[in-house]
Amino acid sequence: MSEVIQYTLGMANGFFVRGKNGVIAVDSGCEPGREHFLGVCAASGVRPAEVKLLVVTHGHVDHFLNVGVMKEETGAPLLCHKNAERYLREALPPRVRARSALGRYMLAELPPSEEPIRSMHPVDPDLVIEGTLDLGPWGVDGQIIETPGHSDGCISVVLASGEAIVGDLLVCDPRDGTASLAFLCSSDDIQAANAELFASAERLARDARIFYSGHGGPFTREELLAALAAARAEAASDVSQEDQLGA
């Protein structure tokens, strides 16, 4: 059985997963600095030397801002998807597009802060993956899977306990506190991004029952399925409106 320990730094969550024979860390939160990492370690009962692997769910700065410090303090290798690698190595700001009405609201009313981008530093991943990866060698009963849709370099950690850490695939809608599928994507082809996102959500719903998010949460399977249904309905409505305008 694994234990998921969630903490919040700035606008994003980070996680420790304590397995039978090791600890992995997933994402970093969004406040840079050694004192922040050592503080969450102390509060979580995790010694830096226990951490055997660092995982970044996707190449957006609020999820990897402090992993350089985490590498230095733990000595653990850093893992990301191959499509996120460049963003970490070159400290690139994310390329985002609004995928939904919530995305349009967020970009218009609550534009992303420039502060994290000014704090970015390049960091070199040690392990770059595609497909599925067993976490057993790092002491955790679970696996990493690809879950594209929010970006093409998204991965999720799915534990044998039925818990999953999903980055921004499922997030809290700040307007009403409900669960929402990712409201941003990296593609100009929104329909293609939707198809990937919906497939990722369906796979996670089959494999897990509790979902830990980069923003808000955790969420239940029922909340994920409700968010998926709402996203499908919105996408269908958008396509219908486009068809009417093109008629």
Side-chain angles (χ1 to χ4, degrees), residues 205-225:
R206 291 193 299 268
D207 293 346
R209 54 182 176 78
I210 299 293
F211 305 91
Y212 291 86
S213 167
H215 305 280
F219 301 105
T220 64
R221 179 186 284 138
E222 291 72 23
E223 288 176 300
L224 170 60
L225 291 174

Side-chain angles (χ1 to χ4, degrees), residues 55-90:
V55 177
V56 171
T57 59
H58 60 291
H60 288 180
V61 59
D62 52 323
H63 295 261
F64 71 81
L65 187 59
N66 214 24
V67 291
V69 165
M70 294 166 73
K71 280 188 70 173
E72 292 172 2
E73 289 294 325
T74 65
L78 171 61
L79 178 150
C80 71
H81 191 275
K82 77 174 187 69
N83 293 337
E85 179 183 12
R86 183 183 174 209
Y87 290 88
L88 276 66
R89 289 196 190 279
E90 300 180 29

